[in-house]
Amino acid sequence: MFADLPLPKPDEIVPLMIQASEDHRAEKVDLTVGVYRDDSGNTPIMKAVREAEKYLAVNRTTKSYVGPLGDPKFVALIQEFAFQKKIENKFIRGIQTPGGSSALSLILNLIKKAQPDMTIWVSDPTYANHGPTAKSIGLKLKEYPFLNRETNKLKNDSLMGTLESLGPKDAVLLHGSCHNPTGLCLDEHHWSKIADIAQKRGFYPIIDTAYQGLGISIKEDAKGLIIMAEKVDDLALSFSCSKNFGLYNDRVGCAFLMGSNEQEIKIAQTQLASLARPCHWVAPQNGAEIVKHILTTPELKDMWHEELSVMKKRIIGLREKLSLALQVETGTKKYDFIAENSGLFSILPGTPRQMEILRNDYAVYGLDDGRINLAGLSENKISYLAKSIAAVI
Ligand SMILES: Cc1ncc(COP(=O)(O)O)c(C=O)c1O
């Protein structure tokens, strides 16, 4: 049956993760996988999640299927959280999904069904799953300029110029906050300009929000989405609870569609559910139940806010300390961008060969494109990491 199938190209990150886990050098710094880690290198279960799990273990009365759109209460809570405010004169409808990945996949499948000739534009560079997701659905894929690798700043002019050249047959995938892999933040001015261009040129914005609360704050990290939602007629949002609730393997997320025609959005929402039917049919409920309980229980909500804030502050602190240590080691401000970036990631300006040398000779593990996960760093390794980077790059 499957004899003619070739072995798919492995995901770059998996062999590196394995290599890092098998490296027992004491100085090892593993900055590969994109998950939050505490100072001792663990990806902890949040206390609020533990408390919700305890409560649900006793009080849940069923594990029966939720409907094809998911749990409406959960979806409404995530909508409120993601958008942070009511968007006037727009209709928003969502569906519960197994994580942000499925949310994006469903949105792209819906686009393919409605407009088979659309081109999906992703940032150069972008999250490793974006391109393959669009391609596997049979959508055309192109890149818009984003990171200037020389300066580690946004390629503002060429980004805006490219967006100005797009039209109604284009959809532009934007990271809501904490861009993966660059950590570059779009400010309010950028978002506002992108929204104006989208409205003028008629391209379709898709926002991927996977790190809300881990950048600047829950509210600040939603600003780009709010600006877009208030200015454009239509957009889609894929939302993940993997990182900000630490529910990676519970697969918790939502896909939202926003538009100014209520009937159109209602039908499109049902279309999302029909696209999920031959795949996962209904979304897993366990993680969604945990999120719902946290968001509706004031003490747990406060506890979760506090934990999320501690995680975010740890990342900001690591960024500041690493960039300072690199100032000392290199005698330059070349790495100041690390403190200016937000979220888990930044891109080191190293070649794939230099990243390999860092792994082999220094036990410092980042990806070949230079991506490092700052949240994988512990305080006592900052100086060693800075010395290693300065020695190699
Ligand atoms: C930008 C971005 N979107 C989506 C995801 C996937 O999220 P999930 O685990 O909820 O599928 C990630 C995970 O790393 C991500 O970085």
Side-chain angles (χ1 to χ4, degrees):
M1 173 72 95
F2 305 119
D4 292 337
L5 284 182
L7 194 64
K9 214 172 137 229
D11 192 340
E12 182 208 350
I13 206 165
V14 176
L16 291 182
M17 277 163 59
I18 296 170
Q19 196 187 333
S21 71
E22 289 170 354
D23 185 337
H24 299 298
R25 285 175 281 181
E27 66 274 25
K28 180 176 74 177
V29 187
D30 179 5
L31 310 176
T32 54
V33 65
V35 298
Y36 176 81
R37 290 198 167 128
D38 62 18
D39 201 52
S40 36
N42 298 318
T43 299
I45 298 175
M46 295 173 92
K47 282 197 206 82
V49 167
R50 278 239 192 264
E51 290 305 316
E53 281 178 326
K54 274 192 230 159
Y55 173 88
L56 293 168
V58 175
N59 293 288
R60 249 178 117 179
T61 52
T62 182
K63 286 206 180 229
S64 180
Y65 292 122
V66 286
L69 297 175
D71 175 346
K73 182 86 199 271
F74 165 76
V75 176
L77 285 164
I78 295 299
Q79 179 177 328
E80 204 182 302
F81 178 74
F83 287 86
Q84 287 289 304
K85 63 181 284 202
K86 179 162 170 32
I87 308 295
E88 299 297 336
N89 306 318
K90 306 281 166 57
F91 300 97
I92 301 173
R93 286 190 169 247
I95 156 173
Q96 187 178 325
T97 60
S101 304
S102 299
L104 181 64
S105 175
L106 284 179
I107 290 165
L108 296 185
N109 269 294
L110 184 69
I111 290 175
K112 177 73 181 169
K113 194 168 182 184
Q115 308 282 343
D117 293 337
M118 290 285 273
T119 299
I120 307 299
W121 290 79
V122 296
S123 58
D124 172 26
T126 194
Y127 168 47
N129 281 359
H130 280 167
T133 306
K135 276 202 201 151
S136 73
I137 292 163
L139 286 157
K140 282 174 273 175
L141 180 72
K142 285 195 179 157
E143 288 181 330
Y144 58 83
F146 195 75
L147 175 73
N148 180 334
R149 285 177 190 271
E150 302 289 304
T151 60
N152 251 293
K153 302 261 190 257
L154 185 71
K155 279 185 172 171
N156 183 54
D157 293 350
S158 45
L159 162 65
M160 299 303 173
T162 302
L163 297 183
E164 285 279 6
S165 72
L166 306 187
K169 286 283 172 200
D170 298 297
V172 176
L173 182 49
L174 298 149
H175 299 226
S177 61
C178 308
H179 186 273
N180 178 5
T182 68
L184 277 180
C185 309
L186 295 178
D187 63 22
E188 286 180 43
H189 175 75
H190 296 125
W191 281 106
S192 189
K193 191 148 183 218
I194 294 171
D196 288 340
I197 303 174
Q199 195 60 357
K200 182 172 76 175
R201 302 294 307 167
F203 67 73
Y204 187 70
I206 307 167
I207 317 290
D208 180 355
T209 296
Y211 299 91
Q212 192 178 348
L214 285 165
I216 301 168
S217 70
I218 290 172
K219 272 209 176 323
E220 284 294 316
D221 294 351
K223 270 211 170 133
L225 174 66
I226 297 170
I227 292 170
M228 292 296 284
E230 287 183 334
K231 286 195 167 206
V232 302
D233 289 335
D234 298 276
L235 62 72
L237 165 69
S238 63
F239 189 91
S240 167
C241 297
S242 298
K243 322 274 168 164
N244 51 8
F245 284 87
L247 287 169
Y248 305 87
N249 63 23
D250 272 296
R251 312 309 297 137
V252 196
C254 279
F256 292 99
L257 303 168
M258 186 204 83
S260 33
N261 181 322
E262 188 173 19
Q263 189 59 12
E264 179 187 333
I265 291 300
K266 227 169 152 176
I267 293 172
Q269 177 199 28
T270 315
Q271 283 282 355
L272 281 178
S274 82
L275 288 164
R277 193 175 177 190
C279 186
H280 58 265
W281 181 28
V282 290
Q285 182 62 6
N286 196 53
E289 208 66 54
I290 293 168
V291 169
K292 193 168 74 170
H293 185 63
I294 292 173
L295 293 179
T296 52
T297 310
E299 314 86 77
L300 291 192
K301 195 172 173 184
D302 288 349
M303 186 188 281
W304 171 66
H305 277 167
E306 180 52 30
E307 289 182 276
L308 190 58
S309 171
V310 167
M311 288 158 74
K312 174 201 70 187
K313 284 185 187 146
R314 175 175 133 75
I315 298 170
I316 293 174
L318 288 166
R319 287 187 172 284
E320 285 166 357
K321 287 174 197 158
L322 179 62
S323 114
L324 210 62
L326 280 158
Q327 261 185 33
V328 173
E329 292 302 328
T330 64
T332 71
K333 291 181 176 293
K334 186 176 158 192
Y335 289 95
D336 284 9
F337 70 89
I338 292 177
E340 290 155 19
N341 290 164
S342 75
L344 269 57
F345 310 109
S346 279
I347 295 254
L348 295 177
T351 61
R353 176 70 192 126
Q354 288 170 324
M355 295 307 290
E356 192 185 353
I357 295 171
L358 276 172
R359 287 194 293 272
N360 293 346
D361 298 355
Y362 294 83
V364 168
Y365 286 80
L367 307 191
D368 274 351
D369 66 358
R371 190 188 91 166
I372 53 168
N373 171 17
L374 275 301
L377 183 57
S378 32
E379 298 267 344
N380 63 0
K381 298 271 176 70
I382 293 173
S383 163
Y384 174 72
L385 176 62
K387 282 187 174 38
S388 308
I389 293 172
V392 177
I393 299 180

